[in-house]
Amino acid sequence: MTSPAERKSIAKIAANSRWARESDRTAATAAARKNSPASIEYWLKKVDPHEEMPYQERIKRAENAKAAYYARVMRKARQAKAAKAAKASGEAA
């Protein structure tokens, strides 16, 4: 089994090798960007996978779903930060 440092080194070599061969980085990452929660297309597929709603309604729902997702992410980050601070203050005492 490799150490975390060794795995990091292997991953870095692989990533740099891959990008050294890529002529069009934008095209190479297009699918990942389209399927990312940062993309409205991602949320359009989530809220109406069969495209049965009117487009404007799909957009509204997609924007709400995206906002809810990021609100949950921020909430979890705040909770984790608070838990870490509580643990640190408990250890310091």
Side-chain angles (χ1 to χ4, degrees), residues 20-89:
R21 293 187 308 269
E22 189 57 58
S23 60
D24 187 354
R25 291 175 180 227
T26 302
T29 58
R33 285 192 315 278
K34 184 179 178 185
N35 294 309
S36 162
S39 164
I40 195 68
E41 288 86 9
Y42 173 89
W43 295 106
L44 288 169
K45 283 189 276 180
K46 290 280 190 187
V47 299
D48 188 22
H50 304 295
E51 299 183 17
E52 298 168 345
M53 289 183 233
Y55 184 72
Q56 291 295 6
E57 182 64 20
R58 291 176 65 219
I59 289 291
K60 286 180 193 176
R61 290 185 185 201
E63 288 172 347
N64 287 134
K66 183 178 178 180
Y69 170 80
Y70 282 108
R72 282 191 296 275
V73 168
M74 288 188 303
R75 181 172 183 256
K76 285 182 181 181
R78 284 192 305 269
Q79 289 172 336
K81 188 175 181 179
K84 185 176 179 180
K87 184 179 178 184
S89 66

